[in-house]
Amino acid sequence: MAAYTYRGTEPRYYPGLGIEAVPGLSADLDEDPGDGRWEPTRSKAAAKSAPKDGE
């Protein structure tokens, strides 16, 4: 599963996902719902392993 963040401006219920998405919600989804309201979010593990500036 990949992490996605809901970027819509209004809450929206996704019956296929069984969740009520509100602006800023991060969720682990099998795939992007494809309605343009979700964007991939870097996982915490990826953020920890990413090199810091100057390293």
Side-chain angles (χ1 to χ4, degrees):
M1 282 193 195
Y4 290 89
T5 300
Y6 180 70
R7 296 295 183 200
T9 57
E10 299 288 327
R12 180 180 171 136
Y13 181 68
Y14 285 84
L17 301 174
I19 60 172
E20 170 107 17
V22 294
L25 173 76
S26 290
D28 289 329
L29 306 175
D30 289 330
E31 61 184 33
D32 183 340
D35 63 3
R37 294 180 174 97
W38 296 84
E39 70 179 29
T41 305
R42 290 177 50 189
S43 70
K44 290 180 183 177
K48 287 181 183 177
S49 65
K52 296 179 183 175
D53 290 340
E55 289 185 7

